[in-house]
Amino acid sequence: MKLTLKIWREGGVYANGKLETYQVEASEHMSFLEMLDVLNQQLIEEKKDPVAFDHDCREGICGSCSMVIDGRPHGPQTGTTTCQLHMRHYKNGDTIVVEPYRAKAFPVIKDLVVDRSAFDRVIQSGGYISVNTGQAPDGNAIPIEGDTAAKSFDAATCIGCGACVAACPNGSAMLFTSAKVSHLGLLPQGKVEHERRSQKMVAQMDKEGFGMCSNVGACEAECPKEISLENIARMNRSYIGSVFSSE
Amino acid sequence: MKWILQFFTSSIGQKIIMSLTGLFLILFLTVHLIGNISLLFQDGGASFNAYTEFMGHNPVIQTVSKGNFLFIFLHAIQGILLYFKNKSAKGSKYAVSPKNNVSWASKNMALLGTLILAFILMHLGHFWLRFKFFSDMPSIAYDGVEILNAYESVSIIFSNPIWVICYLIGLVALSFHLWHGFASAFQTLGINHKKYTPILKGLGYGYATLIPLGFAIIPLYMYFTN
Amino acid sequence: MKLDNKVPPGELAEKWVKYKSTMNLVAPNNKRRIEIIVVGTGLAGASAAATLGELGYKVKCFTFHDSPRRAHSIAAQGGINAAKNYQNDGDSVYRLFYDTIKGGDYRSREANVHRLAEASTDIIDQCVAQGVPFAREYGGLLANRSFGGVQVSRTFYARGQTGQQLLIGAYQSLARQIAKGTVTMYNRHEMLDLVKVDGKARGIIARNLLTGELERHAAHCVVLATGGYGNVYYLSTNAMGSNVSAAWRAVRRGALMANPCMCQIHPTCIPVSGDYQSKLTLMSESLRNDGRVWVPKSVEDAKAIQEGRKTGLDIAEDDRDYYLERRYPAFGNLVPRDVASRAAKVACDEGKGVSPTGLAVFLDFTSAIQRYGQQEANSQGISANAAKITELGTAVIEKKYGNLFQMYEKITGENPYVMPMKIYPAIHYVMGGLWVDYNLETNVPGLFALGEANFSDHGANRLGASALMQGLADGYFVIPYTIGQFLSGEIRTPEISNETAEFMEAEEATRNRLQSLLDIKGNQSVESFHKRLGKIIWEYCGMSRNAEGLKKARGLVRDLKKEFYSDLFIPGTMNEFNPELEKAARVADFMELGELMTLDALERNESCGGHFREEFTTPEGEAKRDDDRYAFVSAWEWDDDNPVLHKEELIFENVELKTRSYK
């Protein structure tokens, strides 16, 4: 199939960025990133600068891919990362617009590559259970109710790709932060630090310049791991609770 | 007391202000509509005038109404602040707007809020301002007691088709605002449950439809029966 | 060179316990000023950096990713083994040790493997405490499943995302240390050289991938946890960025590369669909618990399927060859990975492959669906018709493997509940790596290697769910102790300066190396060279090898290398964010590694585990080991023309060497 790509180029000769138009010949079996590989090979053959984009595992789990396809992070398929999006969902003659994630806390590095280190700093502010190696009791010492463990797992499947921030009209990181707060807070071993964790992580999130949640739900709609808004409510609860009950 | 300031300046704290003031205003709307239904009674405005007289002189109601103004003010100011903060956090916009199933209302709360604010100012100008500060209001005597004829001034306004249309526009904006705002207020407070949230959302959609509809009937009815 | 493996004396089961409690320690006041560089943030690297930070060392940690959470450990699906014996089914540390030694075809070091089995139980406790949401039974206790053809249920898992959950656990521990300031994190930094001072590893040259700037980082010792080199095959289940460069740079500075030819081929991957393909996707081995592998009996049928005239559904039951069940009646579809992979290759070589490329076999769930459907109907007490049974059975399969089936459908566009899945083997893991002693120290003093980057405890073949175990054992429970053996001798060493001649020389050499790649200004892209290299290695040093092919392959690789250095084109410059330059440096190292792999495979005149030499087989065509002549680890010293082989004899005092049989 023949496709027209409009890709955001930024940095180097493109300075502050603009959409460039390219033509590419793709096969329906390719993944979206393989289609971009084809384009890049083409550009290299023409001795031009290839399009920079983050990618690594290409099986939907590392969270590296960070592009917005026709206005949607990770493209039109729900519950799917860009690397798992296949070209059979497009047809000959389509025009596809590819842009980097847009949010002030995720500055563009080059073309489609953005800096998501703010997420690391949010985790560093409290997204862990304080246990040193060797201090652990037996794994079966604390039974965890099956549904609770499953809920915690659902939140823990977050791949830290940042699609939630990219999708949010406010550039808010509430879904990401709350997924971590929920993952750990739902488990008995994480409950100990639950409220302190919410406070610290929210404070760091605010400091990073993410926007505020207005419950639009675009994050949930675009999350490739389909993480639920329930987590945001849970974090709000623990945050309010921690502020008013702590001494 | 630093913690209070910290809380209300944190992202979640600021959202709590929106949520709590919003919920109060939702409550207010209900009371307001119940009172206003007396405009539809075929008694030449007697019940409505009695109602406004009561509201205007009851000290409890007067206190609550001060609170009401404060909350409208807070809700609006905080909303405007959020809008600008969020706009700057987003940075630039995408070239293509996404086709996902996110409600239009949720993404346009600020626009809707501004419309509603304009509507409230108009509404206050029509009635409250005149009741309070101008003496050109007609009055009427019931059982020898002279009170303001609020009904009269309402029916004057609602005989003008332009005002009726303005009110309807305001109410449509209100409906959309509530469509998202009702359930959203609970989510912000951390109330989200697999069983109850769908019910709450249903209630919200019902509320967002029925309350503005109830309000809309009044100008329409008065315009067409005049 | 005499290779001293430093295995402590004593009874196998007591070696580690005794060694741990008698080894040299570094006092807290000294730890504070001793610096350690950790390269890589996968399971091994992140757990090591976090634990060393907790102990009080000054740690600098490097990753080429934008965040430590993206390392490819994250993609491991199946699970992690531990000898907890929670299921009361006869598991023990010894049994895990024995299974691992035997599964590795007796080409690993007894003492290391036993230590691994000992540490396995602590790993589970540690991970649970960190908040890893392992699967649990209704009663709230940890669930287990059996995995990879062993007879006990010792695999702990978190749905099909065990690697992700374990890595996030390690990443969070690392994040905690970064916040405390004990670990300094360098994201988007790639190690491009090892710096040795007076024979000891004292630092690295790293390139800041965003600015292109070269940086000199000094420390008292260097820990490499940089993963495996499966991407030498171009197509593998590894991530796009996985590479050998850090390890290879160490080899070029004198470290030895052990058993480079031992690569594991995973039998259940989604087949290659075209030339544009950039990587292969694994389908968890657990699928073989319920799926039956088959190809058509006749080449005509296979041809019809290849040409799209027929589908798997058109082939009658009698015309199907369930070749694993036929050839290995005892284990059937559950034979180990190497055996299953080779059998698929044999079937496809006979022309019975079932994809357009002829390189795929069926993995069929029809019988499982029918069996589960009938069971379900019985337990619900309904007399169901065929359609209802299929529906009930499909629901059971969906519950067990739903996410895998969904992934398959996303990639191939075919519904695996109806059409049998198509699978083919692919490179998945490498057992080879940097040679290390019992302390995980390479032959270069002060240079340690962990996880897949070392030549590892898996011998010639790794069992399922053991890679995660090894990475975490090395990082959490081995290196924090054994590094003290080296560092206790360094407490008088002052801070290492990065201004010495050695650092300057290494930085200059790195700059020149990159510049010379940029200066070639030829016509072919890095990708095209990598693809060609991969094809050569896959064809001659892949699932089966022979002397003639390996000799030819070495020549082909050397020719390709020459062409690479004369016709490569890299856009851009060195002093900017330049992914093509990064790739070029990695592919350059893959070329040399590829050559060494062919040499190693040629040298090892036996078939063992993942290394299958066509000349060394039993009359039935099964692998034939030669314990008399090849019970050793090949440790190669690199030389551009004549790499030198050193041998570490493997001494088995506790297990009897047997032929693996799955018949």
Side-chain angles (χ1 to χ4, degrees), chain C residues 130-378:
Chain C
Q130 285 170 351
V132 172
F134 283 120
R136 286 176 184 267
E137 310 286 358
Y138 281 118
L141 300 180
L142 291 160
N144 291 114
R145 61 182 170 203
S146 90
F147 203 79
V150 295
Q151 290 152 308
V152 291
S153 289
R154 63 159 77 100
T155 304
F156 294 78
Y157 60 100
R159 287 187 210 156
Q161 287 148 268
T162 318
Q164 182 201 23
Q165 294 309 315
L166 294 175
L167 183 65
I168 288 174
Y171 161 72
Q172 286 169 186
S173 295
L174 179 62
R176 177 166 161 250
Q177 294 308 312
I178 295 171
K180 282 188 168 178
T182 58
V183 177
T184 311
M185 190 67 223
Y186 294 86
N187 293 336
R188 291 199 198 261
H189 274 66
E190 182 166 21
M191 167 177 163
L192 289 178
D193 205 354
L194 176 76
V195 183
K196 286 195 335 191
V197 179
D198 298 332
K200 292 176 181 171
R202 293 297 197 192
I204 62 169
I205 303 297
R207 182 164 175 267
N208 178 335
L209 299 181
L210 292 182
T211 61
E213 204 179 325
L214 293 181
E215 297 171 5
R216 304 181 303 273
H217 292 275
H220 290 79
C221 67
V222 176
V223 178
L224 299 185
T226 49
Y229 50 79
N231 267 349
V232 66
Y233 289 89
Y234 186 71
L235 285 181
S236 79
T237 65
N238 284 7
M240 302 302 286
S242 303
N243 67 80
V244 75
S245 286
W248 194 254
R249 289 294 120 193
V251 169
R252 296 206 55 126
R253 292 279 177 189
L256 303 180
M257 193 71 177
N259 295 341
C261 78
M262 289 182 181
C263 302
Q264 181 166 72
I265 293 167
H266 197 290
T268 52
C269 297
I270 299 177
V272 177
S273 64
D275 201 40
Y276 51 80
Q277 190 135 359
S278 58
K279 77 153 274 162
L280 298 169
T281 304
L282 177 93
M283 301 298 291
S284 168
E285 192 162 37
S286 60
L287 289 174
R288 281 197 287 145
N289 286 328
D290 283 311
R292 296 176 72 195
V293 178
W294 65 275
V295 289
K297 273 185 185 156
S298 79
V299 177
E300 288 72 48
D301 277 343
K303 204 165 191 110
I305 294 173
Q306 288 166 17
E307 289 165 3
R309 288 182 282 117
K310 279 186 181 178
T311 70
L313 299 176
D314 300 327
I315 311 297
E317 193 60 28
D318 287 345
D319 296 330
R320 300 176 175 190
D321 178 14
Y322 294 92
Y323 59 86
L324 285 178
E325 296 168 23
R326 173 172 58 78
R327 287 177 62 183
Y328 308 100
F331 277 69
N333 294 299
L334 291 172
V335 290
R337 292 174 175 181
D338 52 342
V339 179
S341 298
R342 276 196 296 277
K345 182 180 185 316
V346 169
C348 292
D349 286 350
E350 287 169 0
K352 294 174 181 170
V354 294
S355 71
T357 56
L359 295 176
V361 297
F362 285 127
L363 181 63
D364 197 327
F365 290 85
T366 317
S367 341
I369 288 174
Q370 294 308 316
R371 189 176 70 245
Y372 286 125
Q374 191 61 55
Q375 278 174 14
E376 198 64 13
N378 291 345

Side-chain angles (χ1 to χ4, degrees), chain A residues 51-119:
Chain A
V51 180
F53 58 93
D54 267 328
H55 65 105
D56 197 32
C57 78
R58 296 206 176 185
E59 41 190 285
I61 195 80
C62 75
S64 291
C65 28
S66 58
M67 54 185 86
V68 171
I69 302 165
D70 288 333
R72 301 185 64 175
H74 297 300
Q77 293 295 108
T78 54
T80 307
T81 54
T82 302
C83 60
Q84 296 283 286
L85 170 66
H86 280 70
M87 297 313 291
R88 69 180 73 91
H89 301 292
Y90 292 92
K91 56 182 194 304
N92 191 28
D94 276 355
T95 297
I96 307 172
V97 181
V98 190
E99 297 171 83
Y101 283 180
R102 300 224 181 267
K104 208 174 108 199
F106 287 171
V108 174
I109 291 169
K110 190 183 181 199
D111 300 342
L112 305 173
V113 178
V114 296
D115 177 2
R116 285 170 287 188
S117 52
F119 269 11

Side-chain angles (χ1 to χ4, degrees), chain A residues 132-152:
Chain A
N132 280 1
T133 305
Q135 293 177 333
D138 187 83
N140 261 346
I142 317 164
I144 303 173
E145 198 264 329
D147 288 345
T148 311
K151 244 190 210 166
S152 164

Side-chain angles (χ1 to χ4, degrees), chain A residues 29 34 41 47 54 56-59 62 79 88 120 132-134 138-140 144 154 157 160 180 183 189, chain C residues 51 54 65 67 70 84 86 125 128 131 140 142 171-172 176 188 240-241 276 278-279 410-411 522 525:
Chain A
H29 296 295
E34 283 167 346
Q41 283 306 303
K47 312 250 152 140
D54 267 328
D56 197 32
C57 78
R58 296 206 176 185
E59 41 190 285
C62 75
R88 69 180 73 91
D120 281 333
N132 280 1
T133 305
D138 187 83
N140 261 346
I144 303 173
D154 287 338
T157 55
K180 186 48 62 198
H183 159 212
Q189 57 270 48
Chain C
T51 307
E54 285 163 10
H65 286 107
S67 159
R70 311 228 191 268
K84 279 284 196 186
Y86 281 156
D125 300 342
V128 168
L142 291 160
Y171 161 72
Q172 286 169 186
R176 177 166 161 250
R188 291 199 198 261
M240 302 302 286
Y276 51 80
S278 58
K279 77 153 274 162
K410 257 181 206 166
I411 293 173
S525 68

